[in-house]
Amino acid sequence: PVTSLAWSPDSKQLASASADKTVRLWEIPPVPQPEILEGPPEDVLALTWSEDDALLTSVTKVNGHATLLNRLTKTSSSAPLNPECLWESVSPDTRLKAVATLNDGFVTIRVEDLHEQKGLGELNSGQTDLQGLVWSPDSSRLAAFFSGELESLHVWDIRTMRSLFARTMVGIASVAWASDSIRLAVAGHG
């Protein structure tokens, strides 16, 4: 099964991570066979494109690593995530980073400006079991989806640090932003 989806910034490719430990690059409109990149040895939970369409970042939960897949050179490199974080995600413009941790049993997402090396604020969901963080292509919005007792999807505007959307949704496996940074596709089994 597919574990994560991510549109390229130009909306000409869709990356899908699968339980078979590969990442497939689908041309839009479709071509007969997708480009296949060998991913990390664990299940990929999330995919994020760089602004220039050259790099895909995949996140695995098993050993807490982020893997950079370079689709142009067909190479990959891996780095460990902060052991205290549940999830870490860099925005497509590489300016912002979201780091999710548990605070008094609930997920807190800290947003940092990597260029100015300062914190921008914290996002609180009231949720406990984070399954993924996904940046909009223009890096202005952040979506988080949760499993457990209160399965839900939350979306925040990073410019104002305010919630735009919070709704209970059962069985979310992955979300992907459209190139307009407004619409979201939600995949799942609910």
Side-chain angles (χ1 to χ4, degrees), residues 61 107 126-132 145-153 168-173 189:
K61 200 169 191 177
V107 174
Q127 300 293 317
T128 58
D129 195 2
L130 179 66
Q131 295 300 304
F145 56 102
F146 300 86
S147 66
E149 271 186 49
L150 299 172
E151 295 178 290
S152 61
L153 173 66
T168 299
M169 300 180 96
V170 177
I172 301 171
H189 50 78

Side-chain angles (χ1 to χ4, degrees), residues 113-181:
D113 186 317
L114 295 173
H115 292 177
E116 296 184 21
Q117 296 184 337
K118 68 176 186 176
L120 298 179
E122 291 185 347
L123 308 170
N124 295 299
S125 65
Q127 300 293 317
T128 58
D129 195 2
L130 179 66
Q131 295 300 304
L133 291 174
V134 185
W135 287 94
S136 63
D138 69 359
S139 303
S140 70
R141 294 185 169 117
L142 184 65
F145 56 102
F146 300 86
S147 66
E149 271 186 49
L150 299 172
E151 295 178 290
S152 61
L153 173 66
H154 294 253
V155 177
W156 292 275
D157 183 322
I158 298 305
R159 296 168 293 208
T160 63
M161 300 299 283
R162 292 192 172 204
S163 175
L164 296 174
F165 179 90
R167 181 168 293 158
T168 299
M169 300 180 96
V170 177
I172 301 171
S174 183
V175 300
W177 288 93
S179 60
D180 62 10
S181 292

Side-chain angles (χ1 to χ4, degrees), residues 24-170:
R24 288 178 167 71
L25 304 179
W26 303 88
E27 296 290 330
I28 306 299
V31 294
Q33 291 294 320
E35 181 179 350
I36 298 175
L37 303 174
E38 293 299 321
E42 297 85 19
D43 288 344
V44 173
L45 297 177
L47 293 168
T48 305
W49 288 86
S50 62
E51 275 189 316
D52 64 3
D53 294 338
L55 296 174
L56 273 167
T57 303
S58 68
V59 175
T60 62
K61 200 169 191 177
V62 173
N63 66 6
H65 275 69
T67 302
L68 286 175
L69 303 170
N70 187 320
R71 63 178 288 271
L72 302 177
T73 63
K74 307 286 191 250
T75 59
S76 66
S77 60
S78 183
L81 297 173
N82 177 339
E84 295 177 5
C85 88
L86 301 171
W87 205 277
E88 192 171 293
S89 183
V90 176
S91 62
D93 66 4
T94 67
R95 183 177 184 88
L96 304 172
K97 179 170 71 170
V99 178
T101 58
L102 280 179
N103 186 6
D104 293 328
F106 294 99
V107 174
T108 298
I109 302 165
R110 189 177 68 251
V111 180
E112 303 169 0
D113 186 317
L114 295 173
H115 292 177
E116 296 184 21
Q117 296 184 337
K118 68 176 186 176
L120 298 179
E122 291 185 347
L123 308 170
N124 295 299
S125 65
Q127 300 293 317
T128 58
D129 195 2
L130 179 66
Q131 295 300 304
L133 291 174
V134 185
W135 287 94
S136 63
D138 69 359
S139 303
S140 70
R141 294 185 169 117
L142 184 65
F145 56 102
F146 300 86
S147 66
E149 271 186 49
L150 299 172
E151 295 178 290
S152 61
L153 173 66
H154 294 253
V155 177
W156 292 275
D157 183 322
I158 298 305
R159 296 168 293 208
T160 63
M161 300 299 283
R162 292 192 172 204
S163 175
L164 296 174
F165 179 90
R167 181 168 293 158
T168 299
M169 300 180 96
V170 177

